[in-house]
Short mmCIF file of all heavy atoms in Angstrom, two decimals:
data_model
loop_
_atom_site.label_atom_id
_atom_site.label_comp_id
_atom_site.label_asym_id
_atom_site.label_seq_id
_atom_site.Cartn_x
_atom_site.Cartn_y
_atom_site.Cartn_z
N GLN B 217 14.61 28.35 -11.13
CA GLN B 217 14.76 27.65 -9.86
C GLN B 217 13.43 27.07 -9.39
O GLN B 217 13.36 25.94 -8.89
CB GLN B 217 15.34 28.59 -8.80
CG GLN B 217 15.59 27.93 -7.45
CD GLN B 217 16.32 28.87 -6.50
OE1 GLN B 217 16.93 29.85 -6.92
NE2 GLN B 217 16.25 28.56 -5.22
N SER B 230 5.90 10.89 -6.83
CA SER B 230 5.41 9.73 -7.57
C SER B 230 5.81 8.41 -6.93
O SER B 230 5.34 7.36 -7.36
CB SER B 230 5.93 9.77 -9.01
OG SER B 230 7.35 9.68 -9.04
N ASN B 300 7.44 14.79 9.97
CA ASN B 300 7.56 14.88 11.43
C ASN B 300 8.86 15.52 11.87
O ASN B 300 9.14 15.60 13.07
CB ASN B 300 7.46 13.48 12.05
CG ASN B 300 6.11 12.84 11.83
OD1 ASN B 300 5.08 13.53 11.88
ND2 ASN B 300 6.08 11.54 11.61
N ALA B 342 14.99 -36.37 5.83
CA ALA B 342 15.54 -37.48 6.61
C ALA B 342 14.61 -37.94 7.72
O ALA B 342 14.46 -39.14 7.96
CB ALA B 342 16.89 -37.07 7.19
N VAL B 352 19.19 -20.69 13.17
CA VAL B 352 20.56 -20.23 12.92
C VAL B 352 20.66 -18.77 13.33
O VAL B 352 19.78 -17.96 13.01
CB VAL B 352 20.94 -20.41 11.43
CG1 VAL B 352 22.35 -19.87 11.19
CG2 VAL B 352 20.86 -21.88 11.03
N VAL B 363 41.95 -0.74 2.80
CA VAL B 363 43.37 -0.73 3.13
C VAL B 363 44.17 -0.58 1.83
O VAL B 363 43.94 -1.34 0.87
CB VAL B 363 43.78 -2.02 3.87
CG1 VAL B 363 45.27 -1.98 4.17
CG2 VAL B 363 42.97 -2.18 5.14
N VAL B 374 64.97 -1.68 -11.82
CA VAL B 374 64.42 -1.53 -13.16
C VAL B 374 64.87 -0.18 -13.70
O VAL B 374 64.64 0.86 -13.04
CB VAL B 374 62.88 -1.64 -13.16
CG1 VAL B 374 62.32 -1.44 -14.55
CG2 VAL B 374 62.44 -2.97 -12.58
N GLY B 409 97.10 24.93 -38.27
CA GLY B 409 96.80 23.58 -37.76
C GLY B 409 95.44 23.52 -37.01
O GLY B 409 94.85 24.54 -36.67
N LEU B 446 16.66 -29.01 17.02
CA LEU B 446 15.81 -29.75 17.95
C LEU B 446 15.11 -30.86 17.19
O LEU B 446 14.41 -30.60 16.20
CB LEU B 446 14.78 -28.81 18.59
CG LEU B 446 13.81 -29.44 19.60
CD1 LEU B 446 14.58 -30.02 20.78
CD2 LEU B 446 12.78 -28.42 20.08
N ALA B 453 5.04 -47.13 21.69
CA ALA B 453 3.81 -47.52 22.36
C ALA B 453 3.98 -48.72 23.28
O ALA B 453 3.20 -48.92 24.22
CB ALA B 453 2.72 -47.84 21.31
N ALA B 461 5.84 -44.42 25.81
CA ALA B 461 6.74 -43.38 26.31
C ALA B 461 7.63 -42.92 25.16
O ALA B 461 7.79 -43.61 24.14
CB ALA B 461 7.60 -43.90 27.46
N LEU B 526 -29.74 -4.93 2.77
CA LEU B 526 -31.05 -4.39 2.40
C LEU B 526 -32.06 -5.51 2.15
O LEU B 526 -33.23 -5.39 2.53
CB LEU B 526 -30.91 -3.53 1.15
CG LEU B 526 -30.11 -2.22 1.32
CD1 LEU B 526 -29.98 -1.51 0.00
CD2 LEU B 526 -30.76 -1.32 2.36
N ARG B 546 -57.21 -10.49 6.15
CA ARG B 546 -57.81 -11.61 5.42
C ARG B 546 -58.69 -12.46 6.33
O ARG B 546 -59.72 -12.96 5.91
CB ARG B 546 -56.71 -12.48 4.81
CG ARG B 546 -56.04 -11.84 3.60
CD ARG B 546 -55.02 -12.78 3.02
NE ARG B 546 -54.44 -12.23 1.79
CZ ARG B 546 -53.49 -12.82 1.09
NH1 ARG B 546 -52.98 -13.99 1.51
NH2 ARG B 546 -53.03 -12.25 -0.02
N SER B 583 -92.84 -7.13 3.78
CA SER B 583 -93.98 -7.26 2.87
C SER B 583 -94.23 -5.94 2.16
O SER B 583 -93.94 -4.86 2.70
CB SER B 583 -95.23 -7.71 3.63
OG SER B 583 -96.32 -7.78 2.74
N VAL B 585 -97.39 -5.07 1.20
CA VAL B 585 -98.80 -4.68 1.47
C VAL B 585 -98.88 -3.91 2.77
O VAL B 585 -97.94 -3.92 3.57
CB VAL B 585 -99.71 -5.94 1.53
CG1 VAL B 585 -99.70 -6.66 0.20
CG2 VAL B 585 -99.23 -6.87 2.63
#
Side-chain angles (χ1 to χ4, degrees):
Q217 182 173 341
S230 63
N300 295 323
V352 178
V363 179
V374 178
L446 180 61
L526 293 177
R546 286 183 176 178
S583 178
V585 298

